[in-house]
């Protein structure tokens, strides 16, 4: 069974992330979307809020699971029998970061492959931080994020 882990902050999950999940679920037997907890990162949404949104949006995909981890993603992958880490690539600036990430992972464990999926053209400009900026400026983000994300923004507006 080919198991892949798709790690990220998902703060919040966007239609760009969801497209990667949908495509990965067709390639691998099982995909674990991993909320990677980085205590140093100042997130808009709590761990619980991000997990709730993730659980909701992957419901249509029977071979996709959600988990969270407070440590090295590659260590998580190893413990859970995954042989692949998935990342999405949007623009050239993503490449630099992903290249360093891949090099570090290779140093730790050469057996785990990184697989990069190119963002769909129309979703290339979507990032969690951009979504947050647009929302805070009063722009309608409903076509850029799943419905549950918009609901969570509304519910936690006064945070
Ligand atoms: P991280 O903090 O680990 O970069 P993110 O949640 O920002 O977490 O992103 C997780 C992964 O999803 C990264 O590989 C990122 O490049 C990818 N990604 C983010 N937005 C998109 C998008 N619009 N299309 C394709 N991939 C994306």
């Amino acid at each position: 069974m080919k198991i892949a882990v798709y790690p990220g902050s998902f703060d919040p999950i966007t239609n760009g992330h969801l497209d990667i999940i949908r495509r990965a679920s067709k390639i691998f037997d099982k995909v674990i979307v991993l909320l990677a907890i980085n205590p140093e990162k100042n997130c808009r949404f709590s761990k619980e809020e991000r997990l709730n949104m993730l659980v909701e949006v992957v419901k249509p995909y029977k071979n996709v699971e959600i988990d969270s981890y407070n440590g090295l993603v590659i260590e998580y992958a190893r413990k859970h029998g995954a042989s692949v880490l998935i990342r999405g690539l949007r623009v050239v600036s993503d490449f630099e970061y992903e290249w360093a990430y891949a090099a570090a992972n290779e140093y730790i464990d050469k057996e785990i492959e990184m697989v990069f999926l190119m963002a769909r053209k129309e979703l290339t400009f979507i990032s969690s931080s951009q979504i947050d900026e647009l929302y805070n400026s009063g722009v309608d983000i409903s076509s850029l994020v799943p419905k549950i994300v918009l609901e969570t923004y509304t519910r936690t507006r006064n945070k």
Side-chain angles (χ1 to χ4, degrees):
M1 179 144 117
K2 268 265 173 261
I3 304 174
V5 172
Y6 176 37
S9 312
F10 306 108
D11 186 39
I13 178 151
T14 70
N15 286 352
H17 292 126
L18 197 53
D19 187 60
I20 298 290
I21 295 171
R22 178 187 64 77
R23 288 157 60 200
S25 76
K26 291 199 283 186
I27 305 173
F28 299 101
D29 298 312
K30 180 163 131 184
V31 175
I32 304 173
V33 179
L34 187 68
L35 182 63
I37 308 293
N38 179 354
E40 258 138 61
K41 225 173 178 177
N42 205 355
C43 287
R44 163 66 174 79
F45 294 101
S46 69
K47 176 185 165 188
E48 287 69 30
E49 285 161 351
R50 285 179 285 156
L51 280 174
N52 280 344
M53 290 187 267
L54 286 171
V55 166
E56 184 62 29
V57 300
V58 305
K59 273 184 185 159
Y61 308 103
K62 297 298 164 223
N63 63 340
V64 177
E65 290 175 12
I66 305 296
D67 204 354
S68 63
Y69 192 63
N70 195 346
L72 283 179
V73 168
I74 197 137
E75 208 173 73
Y76 175 95
R78 218 188 296 173
K79 277 191 204 151
H80 290 78
S83 53
V84 170
L85 289 188
I86 300 167
R87 299 286 289 174
L89 279 181
R90 288 163 294 184
V91 285
V92 177
S93 54
D94 273 351
F95 181 85
E96 257 181 71
Y97 177 84
E98 297 297 341
W99 183 83
Y101 186 42
N105 283 338
E106 186 191 308
Y107 179 74
I108 302 168
D109 190 338
K110 287 189 178 48
E111 294 308 310
I112 297 188
E113 284 293 342
M114 294 201 62
V115 170
F116 297 93
L117 298 181
M118 295 300 285
R120 285 272 182 263
K121 280 196 303 298
E122 63 278 16
L123 300 172
T124 299
F125 77 101
I126 306 179
S127 66
S128 299
S129 53
Q130 180 103 57
I131 292 289
D132 206 48
E133 259 184 69
L134 293 177
Y135 179 83
N136 290 334
S137 313
V139 176
D140 176 13
I141 55 165
S142 56
S143 62
L144 308 175
V145 294
K147 204 161 150 250
I148 180 88
V149 172
L150 201 54
E151 288 166 9
T152 312
Y153 261 115
T154 310
R155 196 163 43 76
T156 61
R157 203 185 337 237
N158 298 323
K159 248 173 100 166

